[in-house]
Amino acid sequence: DFTGTWATSGTKVVVGDVKLGTGAYSFDQSASGKVELGSASDWQFLHNTDAKWTIATWFKRPTSFNGSSISGDISWLCETTDGNDSGISIKYDNRNDPDHQFQCEIINESNGTVAVLQINNFYPDDNDWHHLAVTFDQTIANTNLIAYLDGVQKGTANKSATPSDVDSGDTLRLGAGVDTHARYGNWTLDDFGIFKRVLTGIEISTL
């Protein structure tokens, strides 16, 4: 339901290589290769004191960023903060090549980590379509953050701090991080969605 801001180059809808429907986001790893959705206030529900959500997408992982090999570096799938404001981030971390690490982090206003989940060897080492889902529930005592790959739960994390009821510094960006995290990867994403509730494992397996 949010309006996306598209660059005139760098991001396109491909119609030949898709997972669902007739088109998929394709990012060309240039500075214009991104999509920005809504405004900062639209995404407060991702990191406030009542936060309950699911982020899900089909993806092909990046093989390069900013025109260089992804080996030994990082690419953000989506993000609302570079760590200087409250928000969330999901990234592909290959700094210890080839660990293909998944990381999701929720940050509060004081630049403190609310919850962080890191899973080594998470992203498959291929160019096939895979499904990622991440759920977060601030209101429960533990197992607040959960990651799924291809419908299978791969890891969990407990919260360690309280989120902030304030806007993040940035809107939601797909295909790259924001501000100091502006690394543009050649992701391909299809059927990207955000739900204002925690989907069950069974629901995720049907996406």
Side-chain angles (χ1 to χ4, degrees):
D1 294 333
F2 296 97
T3 300
T5 300
W6 287 66
T8 56
S9 64
T11 307
K12 63 182 179 179
V13 174
V14 293
V15 296
D17 184 13
V18 302
K19 181 61 182 178
L20 298 173
T22 58
Y25 290 111
S26 178
F27 305 95
D28 76 350
Q29 68 187 305
S30 70
S32 57
K34 61 184 182 295
V35 173
E36 295 179 339
L37 300 174
S39 60
S41 59
D42 291 322
W43 306 110
Q44 187 188 97
F45 73 90
L46 293 173
H47 52 82
N48 64 16
T49 53
D50 296 317
K52 290 183 181 181
W53 50 260
T54 302
I55 295 176
T57 188
W58 287 94
F59 73 92
K60 288 188 174 183
R61 72 168 181 84
T63 56
S64 58
F65 86 99
N66 292 14
S68 302
S69 170
I70 194 67
S71 176
D73 222 296
I74 309 170
S75 181
W76 275 262
L77 188 152
C78 65
E79 189 173 56
T80 64
T81 179
D82 64 355
N84 293 316
D85 303 283
S86 57
I88 65 102
S89 69
I90 297 174
K91 69 184 179 184
Y92 168 80
D93 188 342
N94 203 38
R95 284 176 291 184
N96 294 317
D97 185 25
D99 59 1
H100 305 301
Q101 185 187 85
F102 163 88
Q103 180 174 312
C104 178
E105 189 170 17
I106 294 95
I107 304 291
N108 63 22
E109 187 180 18
S110 59
N111 196 22
T113 298
V114 174
V116 61
L117 176 56
Q118 295 175 313
I119 306 171
N120 283 337
N121 300 306
F122 179 90
Y123 291 99
D125 191 12
D126 58 41
N127 193 40
D128 297 330
W129 284 105
H130 295 277
H131 191 263
L132 168 68
V134 183
T135 68
F136 180 66
D137 187 347
Q138 156 62 23
T139 66
I140 58 179
N142 49 46
T143 317
N144 309 86
L145 187 58
I146 305 175
Y148 298 81
L149 179 67
D150 293 329
V152 178
Q153 181 177 310
K154 292 294 186 178
T156 67
N158 300 333
K159 64 182 180 182
S160 58
T162 302
S164 304
D165 283 323
V166 297
D167 291 347
S168 63
D170 295 276
T171 186
L172 178 68
R173 178 176 288 183
L174 306 184
V178 300
D179 298 333
T180 61
H181 291 170
R183 290 177 170 86
Y184 304 93
N186 61 337
W187 293 90
T188 305
L189 304 179
D190 201 354
D191 204 38
F192 182 92
I194 298 179
F195 304 81
K196 289 185 176 181
R197 65 182 182 91
V198 174
L199 300 186
T200 67
I202 292 175
E203 289 175 311
I204 288 169
S205 68
T206 65
L207 295 176

